[in-house]
Coordinates of all heavy atoms in Angstrom, one line a residue:
M11 N 138.6 32.2 129.2 CA 137.3 31.8 128.7 C 136.3 32.8 129.0 O 136.2 33.3 130.1 CB 136.9 30.4 129.2 CG 135.5 30.0 128.8 SD 135.1 28.4 129.5 CE 134.0 27.8 128.3
R12 N 135.5 33.2 128.1 CA 134.4 34.2 128.4 C 133.3 33.6 129.3 O 132.9 32.5 129.1 CB 133.9 34.7 127.0 CG 133.4 33.7 126.1 CD 133.1 34.2 124.8 NE 132.3 33.2 124.1 CZ 131.9 33.3 122.9 NH1 132.0 34.3 122.2 NH2 131.2 32.3 122.3
E13 N 132.9 34.4 130.2 CA 132.0 34.0 131.2 C 130.6 33.7 130.6 O 129.9 32.8 131.1 CB 131.8 35.0 132.3 CG 133.1 35.2 133.2 CD 133.3 33.9 134.0 OE1 132.4 33.3 134.6 OE2 134.5 33.5 134.1
Y14 N 130.2 34.4 129.6 CA 128.8 34.3 129.1 C 128.7 33.1 128.2 O 127.6 32.7 127.8 CB 128.4 35.6 128.4 CG 129.2 35.9 127.2 CD1 129.0 35.4 125.9 CD2 130.3 36.8 127.4 CE1 129.8 35.8 124.9 CE2 131.1 37.2 126.3 CZ 130.8 36.7 125.0 OH 131.6 37.0 124.0
A15 N 129.7 32.4 127.8 CA 129.6 31.2 127.0 C 129.6 29.9 127.8 O 129.6 28.9 127.2 CB 130.8 31.2 126.0
K16 N 129.7 30.0 129.1 CA 129.6 28.8 129.9 C 128.2 28.3 129.9 O 127.2 29.0 129.9 CB 130.1 29.1 131.3 CG 131.5 29.4 131.4 CD 131.9 29.6 132.9 CE 133.4 29.9 133.0 NZ 133.8 30.1 134.4
V17 N 128.1 27.0 129.9 CA 126.8 26.3 130.0 C 126.6 25.8 131.4 O 127.4 25.0 131.9 CB 126.7 25.2 129.0 CG1 125.3 24.5 129.1 CG2 126.9 25.7 127.6
S18 N 125.6 26.3 132.0 CA 125.3 25.8 133.4 C 124.7 24.4 133.4 O 123.9 24.1 132.5 CB 124.2 26.8 134.0 OG 123.7 26.3 135.2
P19 N 125.0 23.6 134.4 CA 124.4 22.3 134.5 C 122.9 22.4 134.6 O 122.2 21.4 134.3 CB 125.0 21.7 135.8 CG 126.3 22.5 136.0 CD 126.1 23.8 135.5
S20 N 122.4 23.5 135.0 CA 120.9 23.6 135.1 C 120.2 23.7 133.7 O 119.0 23.6 133.6 CB 120.5 24.9 135.9 OG 120.9 26.0 135.2
F21 N 121.1 23.8 132.7 CA 120.5 23.7 131.3 C 119.7 22.4 131.2 O 118.7 22.3 130.6 CB 121.6 23.7 130.3 CG 121.2 23.4 128.9 CD1 120.7 24.5 128.1 CD2 121.2 22.1 128.3 CE1 120.3 24.2 126.8 CE2 120.8 21.9 127.1 CZ 120.3 22.9 126.3
W22 N 120.2 21.3 131.8 CA 119.6 20.0 131.7 C 118.4 19.8 132.6 O 117.6 18.9 132.3 CB 120.7 18.9 131.9 CG 121.8 19.0 131.0 CD1 123.0 19.5 131.3 CD2 121.9 18.8 129.6 NE1 123.8 19.6 130.2 CE2 123.1 19.1 129.1 CE3 120.9 18.3 128.7 CZ2 123.5 18.9 127.8 CZ3 121.3 18.1 127.4 CH2 122.6 18.5 126.9
T23 N 118.3 20.5 133.7 CA 117.3 20.2 134.7 C 116.3 21.3 134.8 O 115.2 21.1 135.4 CB 118.0 20.0 136.1 OG1 118.7 21.2 136.4 CG2 118.9 18.8 136.0
G24 N 116.5 22.5 134.2 CA 115.6 23.6 134.3 C 114.4 23.3 133.4 O 114.4 22.5 132.5
D25 N 113.3 24.1 133.6 CA 112.1 23.9 132.8 C 112.3 24.0 131.3 O 111.9 23.2 130.6 CB 111.0 24.9 133.3 CG 110.4 24.6 134.6 OD1 110.5 23.5 135.1 OD2 109.9 25.6 135.2
T26 N 113.0 25.1 130.9 CA 113.2 25.3 129.5 C 114.1 24.3 128.9 O 113.9 23.7 127.9 CB 113.8 26.7 129.2 OG1 112.9 27.7 129.8 CG2 113.9 27.0 127.7
G27 N 115.2 23.9 129.7 CA 116.1 22.9 129.2 C 115.5 21.6 129.0 O 115.7 20.9 128.0
R28 N 114.6 21.2 130.0 CA 113.9 19.9 129.8 C 113.0 19.9 128.6 O 112.8 18.9 127.9 CB 113.2 19.6 131.1 CG 114.1 19.1 132.2 CD 113.4 18.6 133.4 NE 112.8 19.9 134.0 CZ 111.9 19.9 134.9 NH1 111.3 18.8 135.4 NH2 111.4 21.1 135.4
K29 N 112.3 21.0 128.4 CA 111.5 21.1 127.2 C 112.3 21.0 125.9 O 111.9 20.3 125.0 CB 110.7 22.5 127.2 CG 109.7 22.6 128.3 CD 109.1 23.9 128.3 CE 108.1 24.1 129.5 NZ 107.6 25.5 129.6
I30 N 113.5 21.6 125.9 CA 114.3 21.5 124.7 C 114.8 20.1 124.5 O 114.8 19.6 123.4 CB 115.5 22.5 124.8 CG1 115.0 23.9 124.7 CG2 116.6 22.2 123.8 CD1 116.0 25.0 125.0
V31 N 115.2 19.4 125.6 CA 115.7 18.0 125.5 C 114.5 17.2 125.0 O 114.8 16.3 124.1 CB 116.1 17.5 126.9 CG1 116.3 16.0 126.9 CG2 117.4 18.2 127.3
S32 N 113.3 17.4 125.4 CA 112.2 16.6 124.9 C 111.9 16.8 123.4 O 111.3 16.0 122.8 CB 110.9 16.9 125.7 OG 110.4 18.2 125.3
E33 N 112.4 17.9 122.8 CA 112.3 18.2 121.4 C 113.2 17.4 120.5 O 113.1 17.4 119.3 CB 112.4 19.7 121.1 CG 111.3 20.6 121.7 CD 110.0 20.5 121.0 OE1 110.0 20.0 119.8 OE2 109.0 20.8 121.5
G34 N 114.3 16.9 121.1 CA 115.2 16.0 120.3 C 116.6 16.6 120.2 O 116.9 17.7 120.6
P35 N 117.5 15.8 119.6 CA 118.9 16.1 119.6 C 119.2 17.4 118.7 O 120.1 18.1 119.0 CB 119.6 14.9 119.0 CG 118.5 14.1 118.4 CD 117.2 14.4 119.1
E36 N 118.4 17.6 117.7 CA 118.7 18.8 116.9 C 118.4 20.1 117.7 O 119.2 21.1 117.6 CB 117.8 18.8 115.6 CG 118.1 17.7 114.6 CD 117.4 16.4 114.9 OE1 116.6 16.4 115.9 OE2 117.6 15.4 114.2
C37 N 117.4 20.1 118.5 CA 117.1 21.2 119.3 C 118.1 21.4 120.4 O 118.5 22.6 120.7 CB 115.7 21.1 119.9 SG 114.4 21.2 118.7
I38 N 118.6 20.3 121.0 CA 119.7 20.5 122.0 C 120.9 21.1 121.3 O 121.6 22.0 121.9 CB 120.0 19.1 122.6 CG1 118.8 18.5 123.3 CG2 121.3 19.2 123.5 CD1 119.0 17.1 123.7
T39 N 121.3 20.6 120.1 CA 122.4 21.1 119.4 C 122.3 22.6 119.1 O 123.2 23.3 119.4 CB 122.6 20.3 118.1 OG1 122.8 18.9 118.3 CG2 123.8 20.9 117.3
V40 N 121.1 23.0 118.6 CA 121.0 24.4 118.3 C 121.0 25.3 119.6 O 121.6 26.3 119.6 CB 119.7 24.6 117.5 CG1 119.3 26.1 117.4 CG2 119.8 24.1 116.1
A41 N 120.3 24.8 120.7 CA 120.3 25.6 121.9 C 121.7 25.8 122.4 O 122.1 26.9 122.8 CB 119.4 24.9 122.9
L42 N 122.5 24.7 122.5 CA 123.9 24.8 123.0 C 124.7 25.7 122.0 O 125.6 26.4 122.5 CB 124.5 23.4 123.2 CG 123.9 22.6 124.3 CD1 124.4 21.2 124.3 CD2 124.1 23.3 125.6
Y43 N 124.5 25.6 120.8 CA 125.2 26.4 119.8 C 124.9 27.9 120.0 O 125.8 28.7 120.0 CB 124.8 26.0 118.4 CG 125.5 26.8 117.3 CD1 126.8 26.6 117.0 CD2 124.8 27.8 116.6 CE1 127.5 27.4 116.1 CE2 125.5 28.6 115.7 CZ 126.8 28.4 115.4 OH 127.4 29.1 114.5
L44 N 123.6 28.2 120.3 CA 123.3 29.6 120.6 C 124.0 30.2 121.8 O 124.4 31.3 121.8 CB 121.8 29.7 120.8 CG 120.9 29.5 119.6 CD1 119.4 29.5 120.0 CD2 121.1 30.5 118.5
L45 N 124.3 29.3 122.7 CA 125.0 29.8 123.9 C 126.5 29.9 123.7 O 127.2 30.6 124.4 CB 124.8 28.8 125.1 CG 123.3 28.8 125.6 CD1 123.2 27.7 126.7 CD2 122.9 30.1 126.2
T46 N 127.1 29.1 122.8 CA 128.5 28.9 122.8 C 129.2 29.3 121.4 O 130.4 29.3 121.4 CB 128.9 27.5 123.1 OG1 128.3 26.6 122.1 CG2 128.4 27.0 124.4
N47 N 128.5 29.7 120.4 CA 129.1 29.9 119.1 C 130.0 31.2 119.2 O 129.8 32.1 120.0 CB 128.1 30.0 118.0 CG 127.2 31.2 118.0 OD1 127.7 32.3 117.6 ND2 126.0 31.2 118.6
G48 N 130.9 31.3 118.2 CA 131.8 32.4 118.1 C 131.2 33.7 117.7 O 131.9 34.7 117.8
H49 N 130.0 33.7 117.3 CA 129.3 35.0 116.9 C 128.5 35.6 118.1 O 128.1 36.8 118.0 CB 128.3 34.7 115.8 CG 128.9 34.0 114.7 ND1 129.8 34.5 113.8 CD2 128.8 32.6 114.3 CE1 130.2 33.6 112.9 NE2 129.6 32.5 113.2
S50 N 128.4 34.9 119.2 CA 127.6 35.3 120.3 C 128.3 36.4 121.1 O 129.5 36.6 120.9 CB 127.2 34.2 121.2 OG 128.3 33.7 121.9
N51 N 127.6 37.1 121.9 CA 128.2 38.1 122.8 C 127.4 38.1 124.1 O 126.4 37.4 124.2 CB 128.1 39.5 122.1 CG 126.7 39.9 121.8 OD1 125.8 39.9 122.6 ND2 126.5 40.3 120.5
M52 N 127.9 38.9 125.1 CA 127.3 38.8 126.4 C 125.9 39.4 126.5 O 125.2 39.2 127.5 CB 128.2 39.5 127.4 CG 128.5 40.9 127.2 SD 129.9 41.4 128.2 CE 129.2 42.9 128.9
L53 N 125.5 40.1 125.5 CA 124.1 40.7 125.4 C 123.1 39.6 125.0 O 121.9 39.8 125.2 CB 124.1 41.9 124.5 CG 124.9 43.1 124.9 CD1 124.8 44.2 123.9 CD2 124.5 43.6 126.3
G54 N 123.6 38.6 124.3 CA 122.7 37.6 123.8 C 122.0 38.0 122.5 O 121.0 37.4 122.0
L55 N 122.3 39.2 121.9 CA 121.7 39.7 120.7 C 122.8 39.8 119.7 O 123.7 40.6 119.8 CB 121.1 41.1 121.0 CG 120.5 41.8 119.8 CD1 119.2 41.0 119.3 CD2 120.1 43.2 120.2
Y56 N 122.6 39.0 118.6 CA 123.7 39.0 117.6 C 123.1 38.4 116.3 O 122.1 37.8 116.2 CB 124.9 38.2 118.0 CG 124.6 36.8 118.5 CD1 124.7 35.7 117.6 CD2 124.2 36.5 119.8 CE1 124.5 34.4 118.0 CE2 123.9 35.2 120.2 CZ 124.1 34.2 119.3 OH 123.8 32.9 119.7
Y57 N 123.9 38.7 115.2 CA 123.5 38.3 113.8 C 123.9 36.9 113.7 O 125.0 36.5 114.0 CB 124.3 39.2 112.8 CG 124.0 38.9 111.4 CD1 122.8 39.1 110.9 CD2 125.0 38.4 110.6 CE1 122.5 38.8 109.5 CE2 124.8 38.2 109.2 CZ 123.5 38.3 108.7 OH 123.3 38.1 107.4
L58 N 123.0 36.0 113.2 CA 123.2 34.6 113.1 C 122.4 34.0 112.0 O 121.3 33.4 112.2 CB 122.9 33.9 114.4 CG 123.4 32.4 114.5 CD1 124.9 32.3 114.5 CD2 122.8 31.8 115.7
P59 N 122.8 34.1 110.8 CA 122.1 33.5 109.6 C 122.0 32.0 109.8 O 122.9 31.4 110.4 CB 122.9 33.9 108.4 CG 123.8 34.9 108.8 CD 124.0 34.8 110.3
I60 N 121.0 31.4 109.3 CA 120.8 29.9 109.3 C 122.1 29.2 108.7 O 122.5 28.2 109.2 CB 119.6 29.5 108.5 CG1 118.3 30.1 109.3 CG2 119.5 28.0 108.4 CD1 118.1 29.6 110.7
A61 N 122.7 29.8 107.7 CA 123.8 29.2 107.1 C 125.0 29.0 108.1 O 125.7 28.0 108.0 CB 124.3 30.1 105.9
Y62 N 125.1 30.0 109.0 CA 126.2 29.8 110.1 C 125.9 28.6 110.9 O 126.7 27.8 111.2 CB 126.2 31.0 111.0 CG 126.8 32.3 110.4 CD1 127.1 32.4 109.0 CD2 126.9 33.4 111.2 CE1 127.6 33.6 108.5 CE2 127.4 34.6 110.7 CZ 127.7 34.7 109.4 OH 128.2 35.9 108.9
I63 N 124.6 28.5 111.4 CA 124.2 27.3 112.2 C 124.4 26.0 111.5 O 125.0 25.1 112.0 CB 122.7 27.5 112.7 CG1 122.5 28.8 113.4 CG2 122.3 26.3 113.5 CD1 121.0 29.1 113.7
S64 N 124.0 26.0 110.2 CA 124.1 24.8 109.4 C 125.5 24.4 109.2 O 125.9 23.2 109.4 CB 123.4 25.0 108.1 OG 123.5 23.9 107.3
H65 N 126.4 25.3 108.9 CA 127.8 25.0 108.6 C 128.5 24.6 109.9 O 129.2 23.6 109.9 CB 128.5 26.3 108.1 CG 130.0 26.1 107.9 ND1 130.9 26.3 108.8 CD2 130.6 25.6 106.8 CE1 132.1 26.0 108.3 NE2 131.9 25.6 107.1
D66 N 128.3 25.2 111.0 CA 129.0 24.9 112.2 C 128.5 23.6 112.9 O 129.3 22.9 113.6 CB 128.9 26.1 113.2 CG 129.7 27.3 112.8 OD1 130.6 27.1 111.9 OD2 129.5 28.4 113.3
T67 N 127.2 23.3 112.8 CA 126.6 22.2 113.5 C 126.5 20.9 112.7 O 126.4 19.8 113.2 CB 125.2 22.5 114.1 OG1 124.3 22.7 113.0 CG2 125.2 23.7 115.0
G68 N 126.6 21.1 111.3 CA 126.4 20.0 110.5 C 124.9 19.7 110.1 O 124.6 18.7 109.4
L69 N 124.0 20.4 110.7 CA 122.6 20.3 110.3 C 122.4 20.9 109.0 O 123.0 21.9 108.6 CB 121.7 21.0 111.4 CG 121.7 20.5 112.8 CD1 121.0 21.4 113.7 CD2 121.1 19.1 112.9
D70 N 121.5 20.4 108.2 CA 121.1 21.0 106.9 C 120.3 22.3 107.3 O 119.8 22.4 108.4 CB 120.4 20.1 105.9 CG 119.1 19.6 106.4 OD1 118.4 20.3 107.2 OD2 118.7 18.5 106.0
S71 N 120.2 23.2 106.3 CA 119.5 24.5 106.5 C 118.1 24.3 107.0 O 117.7 25.0 108.0 CB 119.5 25.3 105.3 OG 120.8 25.7 104.9
E72 N 117.4 23.4 106.4 CA 116.0 23.1 106.8 C 115.9 22.6 108.3 O 115.1 23.1 109.1 CB 115.3 22.1 105.9 CG 113.9 21.9 106.2 CD 113.3 20.9 105.2 OE1 113.5 21.1 103.9 OE2 112.5 20.0 105.6
G73 N 116.8 21.7 108.6 CA 116.8 21.1 110.0 C 117.2 22.2 111.0 O 116.7 22.2 112.1
A74 N 118.2 23.0 110.7 CA 118.7 24.1 111.6 C 117.5 25.1 111.8 O 117.3 25.5 113.0 CB 119.9 24.8 111.0
L75 N 116.8 25.5 110.8 CA 115.7 26.4 110.9 C 114.6 25.8 111.7 O 114.0 26.5 112.6 CB 115.2 26.9 109.6 CG 114.1 27.9 109.6 CD1 114.5 29.2 110.4 CD2 113.7 28.3 108.2
K76 N 114.3 24.6 111.5 CA 113.2 23.9 112.2 C 113.5 23.8 113.7 O 112.7 24.1 114.5 CB 113.0 22.5 111.6 CG 111.9 21.7 112.2 CD 111.7 20.4 111.6 CE 110.6 19.6 112.3 NZ 110.4 18.3 111.6
A77 N 114.8 23.4 114.0 CA 115.2 23.3 115.4 C 115.2 24.7 116.1 O 114.8 24.9 117.2 CB 116.6 22.7 115.5
L78 N 115.7 25.7 115.3 CA 115.7 27.1 115.9 C 114.3 27.6 116.2 O 114.0 28.2 117.2 CB 116.4 28.0 114.9 CG 116.6 29.4 115.4 CD1 117.4 29.5 116.7 CD2 117.4 30.2 114.3
R79 N 113.3 27.3 115.3 CA 111.9 27.6 115.5 C 111.4 26.9 116.8 O 110.6 27.5 117.5 CB 111.1 27.3 114.3 CG 111.3 28.2 113.1 CD 110.5 27.7 112.0 NE 110.6 28.6 110.8 CZ 110.3 28.3 109.6 NH1 110.0 27.0 109.3 NH2 110.5 29.2 108.6
R80 N 111.8 25.7 116.9 CA 111.3 24.9 118.1 C 111.8 25.4 119.4 O 111.1 25.5 120.4 CB 111.5 23.4 117.9 CG 110.6 22.9 116.8 CD 111.0 21.5 116.2 NE 111.2 20.5 117.2 CZ 111.8 19.3 116.9 NH1 112.1 19.1 115.6 NH2 112.0 18.4 117.8
V81 N 113.1 25.7 119.5 CA 113.7 26.3 120.7 C 113.2 27.7 121.0 O 113.0 28.0 122.1 CB 115.2 26.2 120.8 CG1 115.8 24.8 120.7 CG2 115.9 27.1 119.7
S82 N 112.9 28.4 119.9 CA 112.2 29.7 120.1 C 110.8 29.6 120.7 O 110.4 30.3 121.6 CB 112.2 30.4 118.7 OG 111.7 31.7 118.9
A83 N 110.1 28.6 120.2 CA 108.7 28.3 120.7 C 108.7 27.9 122.2 O 107.8 28.2 122.9 CB 108.0 27.3 119.9
R84 N 109.8 27.4 122.6 CA 110.0 27.0 124.0 C 110.5 28.1 124.9 O 110.7 28.0 126.1 CB 110.9 25.8 124.1 CG 110.4 24.5 123.5 CD 109.2 24.1 124.2 NE 108.8 22.7 123.7 CZ 107.8 22.1 124.3 NH1 107.1 22.6 125.2 NH2 107.5 20.9 123.8
G85 N 110.7 29.3 124.3 CA 111.1 30.5 125.1 C 112.6 30.6 125.3 O 113.0 31.5 126.1
F86 N 113.4 29.8 124.6 CA 114.8 29.9 124.8 C 115.4 31.1 124.1 O 116.4 31.7 124.6 CB 115.5 28.6 124.3 CG 116.9 28.5 124.6 CD1 117.3 28.1 125.9 CD2 117.9 28.7 123.7 CE1 118.7 28.0 126.2 CE2 119.2 28.6 123.9 CZ 119.6 28.3 125.2
C87 N 114.9 31.4 123.0 CA 115.4 32.5 122.2 C 114.3 33.2 121.4 O 113.2 32.6 121.3 CB 116.5 32.1 121.3 SG 116.0 31.0 119.9
R88 N 114.6 34.2 120.7 CA 113.8 34.8 119.7 C 114.6 35.0 118.5 O 115.8 35.4 118.5 CB 113.3 36.2 120.2 CG 112.4 36.1 121.4 CD 111.4 37.1 121.6 NE 110.6 37.1 122.7 CZ 110.5 36.4 123.8 NH1 111.4 35.4 124.0 NH2 109.7 36.5 124.8
Y89 N 114.0 34.6 117.3 CA 114.8 34.7 116.1 C 114.0 35.4 115.0 O 112.8 35.1 114.8 CB 115.2 33.3 115.6 CG 116.1 33.3 114.4 CD1 117.4 33.7 114.5 CD2 115.6 33.0 113.1 CE1 118.3 33.8 113.5 CE2 116.5 33.0 112.0 CZ 117.8 33.4 112.2 OH 118.7 33.4 111.1
D90 N 114.6 36.4 114.4 CA 113.9 37.1 113.3 C 114.5 36.6 112.0 O 115.6 36.8 111.6 CB 114.2 38.6 113.4 CG 113.5 39.4 112.3 OD1 112.2 39.5 112.4 OD2 114.2 39.9 111.4
E91 N 113.7 35.8 111.3 CA 114.1 35.1 110.1 C 114.5 36.1 109.0 O 115.3 35.8 108.2 CB 113.0 34.1 109.6 CG 112.9 33.0 110.6 CD 111.9 31.9 110.1 OE1 111.7 31.7 108.9 OE2 111.2 31.4 111.0
R92 N 113.8 37.2 108.9 CA 114.0 38.2 107.8 C 115.4 38.8 108.0 O 116.1 39.0 107.0 CB 113.0 39.2 107.8 CG 111.7 38.8 107.2 CD 110.7 39.9 107.0 NE 110.8 40.9 108.0 CZ 110.5 42.2 107.8 NH1 110.1 42.6 106.6 NH2 110.7 43.1 108.7
S93 N 115.8 39.2 109.2 CA 117.0 39.9 109.4 C 118.2 39.0 109.8 O 119.4 39.3 109.6 CB 116.9 40.9 110.5 OG 116.7 40.3 111.8
G94 N 117.9 37.8 110.3 CA 118.9 36.9 110.7 C 119.5 37.2 112.1 O 120.5 36.6 112.5
W95 N 118.8 38.0 112.9 CA 119.2 38.3 114.3 C 118.5 37.4 115.3 O 117.4 37.1 115.1 CB 118.9 39.8 114.6 CG 119.9 40.7 114.0 CD1 119.9 41.1 112.7 CD2 121.0 41.3 114.6 NE1 121.0 42.0 112.4 CE2 121.7 42.1 113.6 CE3 121.5 41.3 115.9 CZ2 122.8 42.8 113.9 CZ3 122.7 42.0 116.1 CH2 123.3 42.8 115.1
V96 N 119.3 37.0 116.3 CA 118.8 36.2 117.4 C 119.0 36.9 118.7 O 119.9 37.7 118.9 CB 119.5 34.8 117.4 CG1 121.0 34.9 117.8 CG2 118.8 33.8 118.3
F97 N 118.1 36.6 119.6 CA 118.2 37.2 121.0 C 118.0 36.0 121.9 O 117.0 35.3 121.9 CB 117.1 38.3 121.2 CG 117.2 38.8 122.7 CD1 118.3 39.2 123.2 CD2 116.0 38.8 123.4 CE1 118.4 39.7 124.5 CE2 116.0 39.3 124.7 CZ 117.2 39.7 125.3
V98 N 119.0 35.8 122.8 CA 118.9 34.8 123.8 C 118.8 35.5 125.2 O 119.8 35.9 125.7 CB 120.1 33.8 123.8 CG1 120.0 32.7 124.8 CG2 120.3 33.3 122.4
P99 N 117.6 35.7 125.7 CA 117.4 36.5 126.9 C 118.2 36.2 128.1 O 118.7 37.0 128.8 CB 115.9 36.3 127.2 CG 115.3 35.9 125.9 CD 116.3 35.1 125.2
R100 N 118.5 34.9 128.3 CA 119.2 34.5 129.5 C 120.7 34.9 129.5 O 121.4 34.8 130.5 CB 119.1 33.0 129.8 CG 117.7 32.5 130.0 CD 117.1 33.0 131.3 NE 117.9 32.6 132.4 CZ 117.5 32.3 133.6 NH1 116.2 32.3 133.8 NH2 118.3 32.0 134.6
M101 N 121.2 35.2 128.3 CA 122.6 35.7 128.1 C 122.8 37.1 128.6 O 123.9 37.5 128.9 CB 123.1 35.5 126.7 CG 123.2 34.0 126.3 SD 123.8 33.8 124.6 CE 125.5 34.2 124.8
A102 N 121.7 37.9 128.5 CA 121.8 39.3 128.8 C 122.0 39.6 130.3 O 121.6 38.9 131.1 CB 120.5 40.0 128.3

């Protein structure tokens, strides 16, 4: 198992994790997906179109984008909607 895809128990108790949890189940799903999906890498910088998130999580495209924007606003990641690239700083 790759080390960078592990989810720490502090995800649930840390400041950012608690903020994400307070945003609802779609945000939790997207945050965990960002950490564990097959497109990710140990740098935390990778190409991730909304269609990938939607297909893999079962969220519709609008819901996936909305959740991604919300977890980004909480400081969990940065997402460039034009290019489809995401950066998850804690993975680097």
Side-chain angles (χ1 to χ4, degrees):
M11 177 181 207
R12 52 189 194 180
E13 292 294 318
Y14 59 87
K16 291 184 180 179
V17 178
S18 170
S20 66
F21 173 85
W22 303 105
T23 58
D25 288 339
T26 305
R28 283 184 291 165
K29 290 175 185 174
I30 290 170
V31 168
S32 73
E33 292 286 341
E36 293 87 3
C37 291
I38 296 168
T39 299
V40 167
L42 291 173
Y43 180 74
L44 291 173
L45 295 174
T46 61
N47 74 80
H49 309 286
S50 67
N51 59 52
M52 61 192 227
L53 298 177
L55 177 65
Y56 54 96
Y57 181 64
L58 189 69
I60 295 300
Y62 289 7
I63 300 170
S64 180
H65 179 269
D66 290 344
T67 64
L69 297 170
D70 63 31
S71 295
E72 184 178 315
L75 181 57
K76 183 177 177 182
L78 186 56
R79 287 176 177 160
R80 288 167 49 194
V81 297
S82 183
R84 294 298 189 173
F86 187 78
C87 69
R88 298 208 180 7
Y89 187 70
D90 184 68
E91 292 181 35
R92 286 187 329 149
S93 69
W95 282 79
V96 67
F97 176 54
V98 185
R100 298 294 300 215
M101 290 179 76

